[in-house]
Each structure stands twice: as structure tokens, then as C-alpha cells.
Amino acid sequence: MADGVVLLDSLCSMFGMRARIALAEKGIEYEYKEENLEDKSALLLEMNPVHKKIPVLIHNGKPVCESLIIVQYIDEVWKDNNSPSLLPSDPYQKAQARFWADFVDKKVYDAGKRLWTTKGDEIETAKKDFIKALKLMEAELGEKPYFGGENFGFVDVALITFSSWFYTYETCGNFSVEEHCPKLMEWVKRCMEKESVSKSLADPKKLYDSILFFKKKHGFE
Amino acid sequence: MAEVKLFGVWDSPFSKRVELALKLKGVKYEYIEEDLKNKSPLLLNYNPVHKKVPVLLHNGKPISESLIILEYIDDTWQQGPPILPKDPYLRSKARFWAKFVDDKCIPAMWKACWQKGEEGEKAMEEANDALEFLENEIKGKRFFGGDDSIGLVDIAADVIACRNGIIAELMGVQFLRKDKFPNLCKWADEYCNCSFVKENQPPNQKLIHHYKALIQASTSSKSTK
């Protein structure tokens, strides 16, 4: 497998989905390995000894960890493949793209996680924070078709994967993303028309069932 | 109007990173000191999302988040040594370790300094675990950026190298112990001895005075509870 590309991943992971989308955008053939996060493989522990997390991209035997770092790596290595660069070439636009992708990790992810792991008042706070974060993203999108402008880009990859979790968040928090952020939902539908996205995202209802199962198993209810 | 401005706070490790990067690249800039208890309208305008320092303003356009600013500086100014390597794999490693410093090292070290009792002890363990990973990463290298060059990770970890002494002396918390982290200690010595690092640290006396005031405020706020 010297030249090969391997992705250690987990179906429901919004971070893993980012790597899948980036690889699909570039038309890269790779071996997908599903990890059982409750029984991590020796390969995962060897390739990501620091965090022991997915996704891990293994290219020519060398591991790249952290989803946004993986997406940038893919964009840099296969820069002339198949589709426009995910990151802009202009340094200022690039910095803005990195800023908003970082915002997704810091604010959208954190509030989303609290939505399905907490109860009572904490869920209400999580819901407010989540909607606030999405509204900021929606404002940043503005009238553009994508966060990347005319083309699907880095921030689109960073955020679209969370759409597969919207059903879970909405059900746990008893709210509708569409009601608060209709333009963002239009953007979601637009992204889903891309094969690289629709084939990489987990089915929202199946994802919710997995989360319910996980919650029951670990006494989260 | 200066082409490059930096909104920072003199004792912020994150502001310091940006200053170091600008100095490394020989970029002239105007420094604007912010009062975090009374943030300027300019800062709030340039970083409405996080309302934090540092913010770099270049030709009137703001960039926020220190590691993102460092990459911007590297992308924009070709003079001076590179902050990131050219090779995509090595770039990914630099980004990984810089993020590790931010996500794992600095928060645990901060908590270990300021939280006492069980929480403080737990944080110290986390800090040691994190530093152990850095120790293994620096083994055999002069700097995280390589043998010749200071890079993204060295600059990100500036606070770990440069404030170790003061924190040990004033707070009794010794992070870089020679018996535990010999390679990291060697790196810290090398790094701190670089002229551009030495010349761009906050004045020692000012820092000591500042930490003493923080310690006093922390102790008195705990005793009035």
C-alpha cells in the first residue's frame, strides 16, 4: 500500500465526513476503514498516538491527523486534481476561510455536542448558542452560493458535514434549523446536489438512531 | 496610516506570537495596546466575532486568531525565514503540533497554575502528559521547525519556553523539569537564547510585578468568598 491512501474514519463523524468530501472532490481513490471507537484498532493507536481519534489520513504510510489539517493537506498535495482549490490562493481570503472553519470547530461543534449530551436548562443554553453560531455563519454566507464564493470551498467542507447532525440536534433541542436559518438550509440543499457531499454524509435519521443507541448504552438519558 | 497594525496586549502569549512572526519577517508595524477591561471600538469592529486580541490589520483588513495570523504573515511576506515548511506533509505536522500546544498544553498549564487542590493536581497531570508528547517530538531536533529554523510550533510554544522561569519562581510550578523533559529544556534554552526572541520579550520586571499582582488578586478573592 506504499502509494495508497487510507482513511481511518467512523461513519457518523462530522470530522471524518470532511476528509471524505475532500478526497471525493479531488477524485482520489482510497481505502476506507471504519473504526469501532469503543475498540480502537492497533493501526489507529499507532497512527494517532497523541489523540487516538479519527479521522486519520494515511498517505504513503504517513499519518495526517485533525480533519481541517487533513483537508488542507489534501488540497495542497492534489492541488491540480479534478476541481478548483478548496482554499483560496489570496492570503487574506485564505485567512478568512481558516477563521470561519475554526469558528465551526469552536462554536458550532461545542454547542451541538451539548445539545445531545445534556438535559434540562443546559439544552436550552446549548440551543441558544447553537442558533447564534449558525446565524453568524448564515450572515457570513450572505448572498453567495457557497462560503467559497462561486465555488464550493474550505468553509463549505467544514460546515456541511454538520447538516447530517441537524436532525439529531433538532430532535434533542426541540427546534428547527430551517425556521431560524432558512438561507443556510438553502445552502445545505445546494451542497447536497454535489455528489462529493451526498455520498460522504451519513443519513441523518440513521445517525440519530445510532446516537439514541449510544445514549441508552451509556446511560445518558 | 501604517500599512500593518497589531492590536495586542503586552503580556498575552498570543499577541507575542504575532509580534515575533512580524519581527522574524522584518515587517514594520504599528503596535496598539488594548485594555481588555475596556476594549476599543476599533478592536470590537475588527474582531466582532470573538472580540479578542491579537488582531492584525493589513491594508485596512483584519485577521484574527494567532495561528491563522502566523500563516497569513508567512503567506504574505516572502522575505525572512519561512514560518511553515514547503512540503505538505511537514506543513501538516507543524499545524498539528501548533494546535496541540493551543488545545492541550496551554489550557492545562494555565489551570495547573491557577487552580488549587484536586483540580490543580489533575491539570498538572494533564500538563505533564501534554509536555511528554512535545518532549518526544523535539527529540533529535534543535527547533520544532528543524535544525536551522524556528517555525510555527516554536513560536506557538514561546510562552512555554520563556515564562517557565518566572512561573516556577513566583508560583512554585515547575513545568520544564530537566529530569522529566531534558529535550524540551534544551530546546527552551536554545529558543530563548535566539536574539530575536530575547529582544522581543516583555520586560522581566514588568512581568514579575504583573504576576505578583495577579497572584495577590487571586488569593484575596478566594479569601473573601
Side-chain angles (χ1 to χ4, degrees):
Chain A
M1 256 270 155
D3 271 317
V5 180
V6 179
L7 180 67
L8 306 183
D9 197 353
S10 171
L11 219 54
C12 293
S13 163
M14 64 281 269
F15 302 110
M17 290 175 215
R18 289 168 171 176
R20 284 173 239 165
I21 293 175
L23 288 164
E25 279 286 299
K26 299 291 183 178
I28 308 295
E29 276 188 26
Y30 66 98
E31 184 189 344
Y32 178 94
K33 284 193 174 175
E34 177 73 10
E35 280 286 331
N36 175 359
L37 298 182
E38 294 179 76
D39 184 16
K40 291 172 183 178
S41 72
L43 182 62
L44 174 59
L45 300 178
E46 183 198 336
M47 290 288 146
N48 191 357
V50 176
H51 300 302
K52 305 174 176 52
K53 286 181 175 179
I54 55 91
V56 179
L57 186 79
I58 309 172
H59 183 211
N60 295 333
K62 295 192 284 195
V64 183
C65 307
E66 298 295 299
S67 64
L68 294 180
I69 295 176
I70 292 172
V71 174
Q72 288 183 89
Y73 175 83
I74 290 167
D75 203 39
E76 286 170 14
V77 171
W78 290 285
K79 60 176 177 284
D80 297 315
N81 261 47
N82 223 38
S83 58
S85 285
L86 291 168
L87 275 135
S89 52
D90 171 70
Y92 180 72
Q93 297 302 332
K94 208 186 282 196
Q96 294 308 98
R98 287 183 175 135
F99 175 87
W100 285 105
D102 177 67
F103 178 85
V104 173
D105 275 2
K106 284 193 166 99
K107 300 287 180 186
V108 177
Y109 171 70
D110 176 70
K113 186 167 181 188
R114 282 184 279 132
L115 270 168
W116 72 271
T117 56
T118 62
K119 288 193 266 220
D121 283 344
E122 284 187 78
I123 288 198
E124 288 310 304
T125 310
K127 183 165 45 176
K128 282 198 185 89
D129 293 342
F130 184 76
I131 292 168
K132 184 176 168 196
L134 281 196
K135 278 190 186 295
L136 269 166
M137 297 293 316
E138 192 179 54
E140 173 56 24
L141 178 68
E143 297 305 316
K144 303 193 294 286
Y146 300 106
F147 286 94
E150 288 307 308
N151 295 314
F152 183 79
F154 189 60
V155 182
D156 301 279
V157 177
L159 184 62
I160 192 57
T161 62
F162 283 78
S163 68
S164 59
W165 280 76
F166 282 174
Y167 181 74
T168 298
Y169 296 150
E170 287 167 325
T171 310
C172 293
N174 189 26
F175 71 106
S176 152
V177 172
E178 179 131 38
E179 196 185 299
H180 294 276
C181 303
K183 286 219 141 135
L184 203 66
M185 284 314 290
E186 279 173 26
W187 163 81
V188 169
K189 290 185 185 110
R190 194 175 300 125
C191 292
M192 288 299 283
E193 286 167 13
K194 291 174 67 65
E195 207 181 321
S196 62
V197 174
S198 59
K199 290 210 159 152
S200 303
L201 262 45
D203 174 80
K205 298 247 162 86
K206 285 192 182 150
L207 196 149
Y208 176 65
D209 288 340
S210 307
I211 295 304
L212 272 187
F213 179 77
F214 180 86
K215 280 173 84 156
K216 272 201 179 87
K217 187 175 176 191
H218 295 275
F220 256 88
E221 296 177 291
Chain B
M1 175 177 138
E3 205 185 299
V4 183
K5 292 188 190 186
L6 172 61
F7 293 81
V9 166
W10 71 273
D11 63 309
S12 157
F14 306 102
S15 291
K16 184 52 62 189
R17 290 171 175 176
V18 180
E19 285 189 86
L20 288 167
L22 290 168
K23 291 263 155 70
L24 195 63
K25 292 287 198 178
V27 177
K28 288 199 167 70
Y29 63 99
E30 181 191 338
Y31 177 81
I32 296 148
E33 179 73 17
E34 278 289 326
D35 174 2
L36 294 182
K37 294 191 188 126
N38 187 20
K39 293 172 183 177
S40 73
L42 273 181
L43 176 66
L44 299 177
N45 180 46
Y46 290 134
N47 190 0
V49 174
H50 299 302
K51 306 176 177 47
K52 286 181 175 179
V53 293
V55 175
L56 187 79
L57 197 68
H58 183 206
N59 293 330
K61 296 194 283 193
I63 304 110
S64 311
E65 297 299 296
S66 61
L67 294 182
I68 293 174
I69 298 172
L70 257 44
E71 290 221 34
Y72 175 80
I73 291 169
D74 203 37
D75 287 339
T76 304
W77 286 283
Q78 305 304 317
Q79 74 259 31
I83 295 173
L84 275 121
K86 290 271 176 279
D87 173 73
Y89 178 68
L90 294 176
R91 286 165 81 81
S92 76
K93 281 192 73 175
R95 287 172 177 145
F96 177 89
W97 287 108
K99 186 173 196 290
F100 180 80
V101 166
D102 268 4
D103 291 350
K104 298 289 177 187
C105 299
I106 291 179
M109 291 169 80
W110 188 91
K111 270 194 212 152
C113 284
W114 295 104
Q115 278 170 5
K116 299 298 166 203
E118 225 182 280
E119 278 203 61
E121 279 167 26
K122 185 168 173 247
M124 193 65 198
E125 256 185 66
E126 282 173 23
N128 279 330
D129 288 344
L131 291 172
E132 182 74 49
F133 281 116
L134 280 190
E135 166 77 8
N136 288 330
E137 181 55 24
I138 194 65
K139 228 174 253 182
K141 292 201 284 253
R142 194 174 160 220
F143 299 115
F144 287 99
D147 280 337
D148 298 321
S149 39
I150 281 184
L152 184 76
V153 185
D154 302 277
I155 298 174
D158 173 88
V159 67
I160 298 175
C162 296
R163 302 233 187 141
N164 187 59
I166 269 191
I167 288 171
E169 195 186 310
L170 297 178
M171 307 193 72
V173 183
Q174 174 82 359
F175 289 115
L176 296 189
R177 286 168 42 182
K178 278 206 167 82
D179 56 333
K180 273 183 97 67
F181 308 120
N183 294 293
L184 217 45
C185 288
K186 188 159 161 275
W187 162 78
D189 284 340
E190 283 258 30
Y191 175 81
C192 292
N193 269 319
C194 290
S195 54
F196 97 103
V197 173
K198 257 196 295 213
E199 287 158 14
N200 291 297
Q201 294 299 319
N204 209 41
Q205 281 311 308
K206 192 176 178 187
L207 213 47
I208 289 173
H209 184 79
H210 176 68
Y211 270 96
K212 281 186 173 168
L214 285 175
I215 293 164
Q216 183 142 43
S218 161
T219 326
S220 63
S221 80
K222 279 179 185 144
S223 63
T224 53
K225 276 194 182 134

